[in-house]
Amino acid sequence: MSGSDKQPAGAWKDLTADSSAEGSRLDQWLATVLAPDLSRSRVQALIRGGAVHLNGAPVLEPKRKVAAGEHYSIELPEPEAPEPQPEAIPLDILYEDDELIVINKPAGLVVHPGAGNWTGTLVNALIHHCGDTLSGIGGVRRPGIVHRLDKDTSGVLVVAKTDRAHRALSEAFADHGRSGNLERAYEALVWGTPACLTGVIDAPLGRASADRTRRAVVSDEREDARRAVTHYTVLERFGERKDTDAVAALVECRLETGRTHQIRVHMAHIGHPLIGDQTYGRAFRTKANRLPEPLREMVAAFPRQALHARLLAFRHPVSKETMRFEAPPPQDLSELVATFAAL
């Protein structure tokens, strides 16, 4: 879609008409493709509302005849979110008071309910754990999520329990630590070693054109481009040669901004994707085949991106005291790093 065509924000689905769609009404074809999620009447309403685009421009006529090979983008309506319910899910609590709670989130735990994950999330666990100690965010008794970690990223995460804590922490994260009140450090196990052992990746991020669930480095002239800055330091190199030709490296990443998938995209952008990252490091999967056992089997079986949020520091929203929390990498990542170190 052209950069000048403004789209409403939302979840988009891309479809290409095949030969069987030739000559069909647009609403009929879309209703067939999107069944059972959307009825024909709902599809017609979406078309008339400008939610269906052809070559970057909205198509407003449901009767329009489809031609084979045409590429359509459809903004799908957001499903109505059910009210999160309390669930007795174990939590690794690093700190808690009346205003906030700090969690060491395990890999595999989704932070907030959403499509495909309405239950079993950190929010469900916190509602159960905190109970009446939640004084309300926006008038509702619920935990205030001020930042997130990907489902398969482990590490330190802070959640507000009161409205005033939510406002103060949200401002700190929106400021990205420029005022000096926020510090975040991650450890990432990556393929190869960056040519410079310390560096700054300053590359704007936007939605990937081929898959809107992914992020990509984009031109800063694009409408959806968001500034993204990652500072990295190589902590350790692994392999027979302890130089830029090393097999892998343990890298510390510190965030100046906090974009979705920022570290994963930035490290892949400079040619060193995270080990285990099936979204941004697929091209490197064959590298595992050249590793000796048992490392080859460990890498092939590693179920997630090798990323851990090790450090989080912030100013307490009420006491103004600087709070600093660290959590060591979980066992699966520690074992993987140790096996690389034995090369």
Side-chain angles (χ1 to χ4, degrees), residues 149-187:
L149 298 176
D150 292 344
K151 173 185 176 182
D152 290 326
T153 297
S154 56
V156 186
L157 184 143
V158 61
V159 179
K161 295 171 63 177
T162 67
D163 244 334
R164 63 181 176 181
H166 187 253
R167 287 193 300 269
L169 289 171
S170 294
E171 289 173 1
F173 277 88
D175 182 63
H176 304 304
R178 284 185 287 267
S179 62
N181 296 329
L182 182 69
E183 183 182 1
R184 288 175 288 176
Y186 295 70
E187 288 186 5

Side-chain angles (χ1 to χ4, degrees), residues 19-299:
S19 58
S20 66
E22 180 75 39
S24 300
R25 281 177 50 132
L26 179 59
D27 58 350
Q28 181 181 34
W29 173 65
L30 289 178
T32 300
V33 173
L34 299 173
D37 297 325
L38 296 177
S39 66
R40 187 167 174 179
S41 61
R42 188 72 181 98
V43 168
Q44 289 173 345
L46 289 173
I47 294 172
R48 294 190 179 103
V52 177
H53 288 221
L54 172 63
N55 298 328
V59 181
L60 303 175
E61 181 48 67
K63 297 180 182 178
R64 185 189 188 281
K65 298 299 182 183
V66 175
E70 289 182 329
H71 301 284
Y72 291 87
S73 294
I74 303 96
E75 185 187 20
L76 300 176
E78 293 290 336
E80 185 175 339
E83 189 67 29
Q85 298 300 307
E87 295 180 49
I89 300 170
L91 294 172
D92 182 1
I93 299 172
L94 303 180
Y95 174 83
E96 183 177 10
D97 62 20
D98 292 340
E99 300 292 332
L100 56 87
I101 183 169
V102 181
I103 303 293
N104 181 19
K105 187 189 88 67
L109 180 64
V110 174
V111 171
H112 200 281
N117 295 287
W118 294 120
T119 61
T121 73
L122 178 61
V123 165
N124 297 108
L126 289 171
I127 292 174
H128 177 272
H129 170 79
C130 297
D132 290 340
T133 66
L134 292 173
S135 68
I137 306 298
V140 180
R141 290 188 183 275
R142 64 186 179 197
I145 304 300
V146 296
H147 69 125
R148 302 190 188 194
L149 298 176
D150 292 344
K151 173 185 176 182
D152 290 326
T153 297
S154 56
V156 186
L157 184 143
V158 61
V159 179
K161 295 171 63 177
T162 67
D163 244 334
R164 63 181 176 181
H166 187 253
R167 287 193 300 269
L169 289 171
S170 294
E171 289 173 1
F173 277 88
D175 182 63
H176 304 304
R178 284 185 287 267
S179 62
N181 296 329
L182 182 69
E183 183 182 1
R184 288 175 288 176
Y186 295 70
E187 288 186 5
L189 184 62
V190 305
W191 288 112
T193 303
C196 297
L197 299 186
T198 62
V200 179
I201 307 169
D202 187 344
L205 300 182
R207 291 187 182 276
S209 56
D211 183 350
R212 294 179 179 275
T213 64
R214 298 177 57 183
R215 298 299 187 272
V217 172
V218 300
S219 166
D220 58 8
E221 296 179 355
R222 253 181 51 170
E223 188 175 356
D224 67 333
R226 298 292 182 269
R227 185 166 185 257
V229 181
T230 302
H231 299 257
Y232 73 85
T233 301
V234 175
L235 302 176
E236 193 171 354
R237 292 168 290 187
F238 308 118
E240 293 183 3
R241 299 180 59 192
K242 304 297 185 181
D243 57 20
T244 56
D245 293 327
V247 174
L250 184 63
V251 178
E252 180 186 83
C253 296
R254 290 181 176 258
L255 299 181
E256 187 174 319
T257 58
R259 308 301 179 194
T260 301
H261 299 175
Q262 179 174 317
I263 292 173
R264 299 165 63 188
V265 178
H266 270 177
M267 295 310 297
H269 176 64
I270 64 171
H272 302 285
L274 274 60
I275 290 172
D277 194 333
Q278 301 301 314
T279 300
Y280 301 106
R282 289 181 181 178
F284 281 69
R285 283 186 298 184
T286 56
K287 290 180 71 71
N289 297 330
R290 299 195 290 271
L291 297 172
E293 293 292 3
L295 185 55
R296 176 171 59 186
E297 184 177 347
M298 288 185 68
V299 170

